[in-house]
Amino acid sequence: MFDFTADLPPPRDDEPASLRQDIIDELTDHLECATKRELLTNTTASRGRQSPDSSNPPDAYARALTRFGNPAKIARQLWLDAMQEKLMAQRLLTSLSLIVAVAALGMMVLVWNSMNTNQQLMVASLDANRELLSQLGDSNTRLLEQLATTQRDAPSTPASIEWVPCEVELRHGSEDGPPAAGVHVRLTSPHRPAGARDNDPESLMPVINATTDENGHVDLGLVHYGYYEMQLKMPWEEYASTDVTVHPGKPLSQVIVVPAEPLRPVDVQVRVNWPEGFDADDIVVACWRDNRTRELENLTWYSHDPRRYDLSAVLGPALIGPTGEMMLTKLVGSSRLDLGGNDRIKVQVGSDEHDGMPLDREDLQTVDEFQIPDAGYRFYGISFLIRVDARFVYSPLSLSAVPYAYVPGTYLDAPAELLTFTDGDTTELSLNVPSKVVDQIKSFRAAIEADVQSASEKSS
Amino acid sequence: MDTKLLNGTLEMMMLEVLSQGPSYGYEIVQTVLSRSGGQFELKEGSLYPALHRLERQKLLSSYWTEHEGRRRKYYKLSAAGRKALAARRQEWQSFAQGVNGVLGLDYGIV
């Protein structure tokens, strides 16, 4: 049998399943029919010619095949005709894919070229900007130099009476004292709005800041006439201020006396001297410092002492019951006892632990709470043990104390007769309580006892 | 017979044969050969591509039958094929009439 598939292309996935077999079957049928006809035709003819091979089937098949031509080639042509549409579509798809790929590649090349170009432009732009900034910096420097030169030359101009030169000389202790070096001088308008910048361009006269040299001298430059405030700040954070008037056409040259040395720390012990036989257990004594200033040559000097609350008034609140027992609480500074409840007592502390005086402040926080042992338990008094260990930075010292007395549920402010005392370098201060204050305290105590008595009678 | 003349009329002759009823490749060859008085013997290399082409053009349809243990493919004329045959017959008559006129065959001139 003839192999019709000899010239057929390799099978394809998109080829119809029966295509090859259909072609083979059709051509085979044709060849079989032709062979059969050859047999019939030659059998009839051979009867006359007596040819021994004329009716031989293989010969007939061979002759039919010869007449057929090349069946394999025909089969291939039929297969190609059937697959022509798909083959063309595939070629078209392949061509399109190739075109798209080439286009994408071209686009990538274009983008890459564009990025390179942009990067080069950015680098060039950065270089240009740097160059421009450098030129601007140089230009600004030249302008500032010209401005400084103009300012320096201004005083020599006879016609300028609005701007006058000002200088200050600072001396320690007295006008003949040694020069005060390193003192910061600040000249500003007293009407200057708070928060305004020193170099506010809208201000006629900017704030001048300068520091004295080793000769205690400071040149404030040209100052527009007017009223100013001069602030002086010593290297140890002590400062003063004074008014300065600058007159038109009249240069200002002033000598100012400043403190010779910093304030000296003093350790202070406070002792409260109660009258003989007076029971002071239920008395609170609070101490605080006065404003720390000192006067020198008509100037008041203030101190920015970072240890403002060094006064350590350690109060030890204690609850005293009717049988004399004591319930000690924590040692706290700013404290009060809240006796408003019937069954609980709160110890509250202010945020300022060393103030010693915020007895009625609203920002008190409860730090301790006590349960009253039973309903009939009453307190007749509260004792605050006071110990004052103070370290002051001032000499002379100004110390004040106000006595307070408590009754359950509230506290009473004693008639505020300040017990003020001043002592120089004394490290141990005695606080003498006037008899008037003692009498008032006794009066409060009597009221407390009356309240306790009343409560006891009610409870019994 | 000149094959150039045959090629132009091959499809028309196959459509004409199939207009008589369904037939298969070898039978179509034999029918054309018989009806042409032995003048036109279609070659397989031209026959089957033409049959497949007409089938793709929907002028023919086909079906398979079983004959002596072999599969045989029959072709038959579709409605579209019938219209196409009529048009080609008309075309051929005009063409033949024109050629005959030029050759003087209609008037018995040789």
Side-chain angles (χ1 to χ4, degrees), chain A residues 93-250:
Chain A
L93 186 64
T94 305
S95 302
L96 281 175
S97 301
L98 193 60
I99 291 170
V100 169
V102 170
L105 189 62
M107 187 65 73
M108 285 177 62
V109 171
L110 283 175
V111 170
W112 187 78
N113 281 337
S114 174
M115 286 175 62
N116 272 351
T117 307
N118 286 342
Q119 195 169 9
Q120 289 170 357
L121 286 173
M122 284 177 65
V123 170
S125 175
L126 278 175
D127 291 342
N129 284 342
R130 282 199 199 97
E131 180 70 19
L132 188 60
L133 281 174
S134 174
Q135 291 175 359
L136 281 174
D138 294 343
S139 174
N140 286 340
T141 305
R142 283 196 298 274
L143 283 175
L144 287 173
E145 288 173 353
Q146 288 175 2
L147 187 61
T149 304
T150 305
Q151 270 191 323
R152 274 199 306 274
D153 294 344
S156 61
T157 306
S160 176
I161 61 171
E162 294 186 354
W163 294 85
V164 295
C166 292
E167 58 182 1
V168 177
E169 193 173 326
L170 304 184
R171 295 279 175 179
H172 282 302
S174 66
E175 292 188 354
D176 298 330
V183 180
H184 183 75
V185 180
R186 177 182 170 92
L187 190 69
T188 180
S189 168
H191 306 297
R192 187 178 183 78
R197 291 182 301 176
D198 287 0
N199 56 351
D200 186 359
E202 295 184 1
S203 173
L204 177 64
M205 184 62 205
V207 173
I208 297 175
N209 288 289
T211 303
T212 56
D213 58 15
E214 65 274 11
N215 297 318
H217 179 264
V218 61
D219 186 358
L220 300 174
L222 286 178
V223 177
H224 193 272
Y225 72 87
Y227 299 102
Y228 294 93
E229 180 186 15
M230 182 181 292
Q231 297 171 356
L232 305 171
K233 185 178 178 183
M234 302 303 291
W236 52 79
E237 299 293 329
E238 193 173 11
Y239 66 93
S241 66
T242 181
D243 295 333
V244 174
T245 304
V246 178
H247 299 282
K250 185 179 178 182

Side-chain angles (χ1 to χ4, degrees), chain B residues 83-109:
Chain B
K83 287 181 183 176
L85 174 61
R88 293 189 189 190
R89 288 173 72 98
Q90 182 66 35
E91 212 173 279
W92 174 256
Q93 283 176 353
S94 300
F95 174 77
Q97 189 175 353
V99 173
N100 289 339
V102 172
L103 297 178
L105 296 179
D106 285 346
Y107 307 99
I109 301 172

Side-chain angles (χ1 to χ4, degrees), chain A residues 131-419:
Chain A
E131 180 70 19
L132 188 60
L133 281 174
S134 174
Q135 291 175 359
L136 281 174
D138 294 343
S139 174
N140 286 340
T141 305
R142 283 196 298 274
L143 283 175
L144 287 173
E145 288 173 353
Q146 288 175 2
L147 187 61
T149 304
T150 305
Q151 270 191 323
R152 274 199 306 274
D153 294 344
S156 61
T157 306
S160 176
I161 61 171
E162 294 186 354
W163 294 85
V164 295
C166 292
E167 58 182 1
V168 177
E169 193 173 326
L170 304 184
R171 295 279 175 179
H172 282 302
S174 66
E175 292 188 354
D176 298 330
V183 180
H184 183 75
V185 180
R186 177 182 170 92
L187 190 69
T188 180
S189 168
H191 306 297
R192 187 178 183 78
R197 291 182 301 176
D198 287 0
N199 56 351
D200 186 359
E202 295 184 1
S203 173
L204 177 64
M205 184 62 205
V207 173
I208 297 175
N209 288 289
T211 303
T212 56
D213 58 15
E214 65 274 11
N215 297 318
H217 179 264
V218 61
D219 186 358
L220 300 174
L222 286 178
V223 177
H224 193 272
Y225 72 87
Y227 299 102
Y228 294 93
E229 180 186 15
M230 182 181 292
Q231 297 171 356
L232 305 171
K233 185 178 178 183
M234 302 303 291
W236 52 79
E237 299 293 329
E238 193 173 11
Y239 66 93
S241 66
T242 181
D243 295 333
V244 174
T245 304
V246 178
H247 299 282
K250 185 179 178 182
L252 177 71
S253 180
Q254 191 171 355
V255 176
I256 299 176
V257 176
V258 299
E261 58 184 5
L263 293 167
R264 184 167 53 86
V266 177
D267 292 327
V268 178
Q269 292 287 331
V270 179
R271 174 176 298 139
V272 182
N273 296 324
W274 300 103
E276 192 72 25
F278 180 77
D279 183 4
D281 285 349
D282 58 351
I283 304 301
V284 174
V285 176
C287 300
W288 70 96
R289 289 170 295 179
D290 203 348
N291 289 332
R292 289 150 295 178
T293 61
R294 58 176 164 176
E295 301 288 329
L296 189 63
E297 297 286 338
N298 296 324
L299 274 185
T300 302
W301 288 85
Y302 300 86
S303 176
H304 277 307
D305 180 15
R307 299 167 298 177
R308 180 179 173 186
Y309 300 112
D310 273 359
L311 175 59
S312 175
V314 181
L315 306 179
L319 308 179
I320 302 173
T323 58
E325 72 273 22
M326 292 181 67
M327 186 183 295
L328 290 174
T329 68
K330 292 179 180 176
L331 293 178
V332 292
S334 308
S335 63
R336 66 170 296 197
L337 299 183
D338 179 4
L339 304 178
N342 289 327
D343 59 348
R344 302 191 77 80
I345 297 176
K346 294 178 182 176
V347 177
Q348 295 177 303
V349 179
S351 58
D352 183 1
E353 295 186 1
H354 297 284
D355 193 348
M357 285 302 294
L359 297 172
D360 198 22
R361 289 167 51 160
E362 298 201 355
D363 61 345
L364 294 177
Q365 296 178 358
T366 300
V367 297
D368 211 346
E369 193 167 351
F370 300 93
Q371 181 74 37
I372 295 177
D374 58 66
Y377 195 88
R378 297 299 299 255
F379 300 94
Y380 73 87
I382 308 159
S383 174
F384 282 79
L385 309 177
I386 180 168
R387 190 180 78 236
V388 179
D389 296 321
R391 179 181 174 83
F392 296 97
V393 293
Y394 258 48
S395 177
L397 172 70
S398 175
L399 187 65
S400 302
V402 177
Y404 286 87
Y406 287 86
V407 294
T410 181
Y411 72 91
L412 297 176
D413 194 351
E417 182 173 334
L418 289 179
L419 310 176

